[in-house]
Amino acid sequence: MTMHPARDELARMYPRAVPGWIDALADLGPKLCAHYGIDRLEWCHVAGQIAAETDSLTLRPMQEDMRYS
């Protein structure tokens, strides 16, 4: 069993995600796990936090319109 989810698992975890974000996370996940010593349970916590902060990886590029009130 791997410590990080494979791309197909990530796609199931984030069904509405922008495909590029899934690819990036699939590439970065193993590197993060190895570098920080993240185990599978910790990775689940990380994945949940990512989902909470990015609307399940649906974020698109944003632009500031400089209209403040």
Side-chain angles (χ1 to χ4, degrees):
M1 174 168 69
T2 61
M3 291 296 156
H4 52 84
R7 190 192 187 294
D8 62 326
E9 292 175 307
L10 290 168
R12 286 195 312 270
M13 289 169 63
Y14 306 107
R16 300 178 304 124
V18 174
W21 283 117
I22 294 286
D23 294 336
L25 194 54
D27 180 54
L28 189 59
K31 295 170 187 169
L32 287 172
C33 289
H35 182 78
Y36 291 106
I38 296 172
D39 63 23
R40 186 138 179 113
L41 179 60
E42 290 171 321
W43 180 255
C44 290
H45 291 281
V46 170
Q49 192 65 36
I50 289 169
E53 294 187 17
T54 65
D55 192 21
S56 295
L57 295 176
T58 61
L59 289 179
R60 307 243 188 271
M62 295 183 275
Q63 276 187 327
E64 180 58 60
D65 64 10
M66 302 304 285
R67 294 183 200 167
Y68 300 103
S69 58

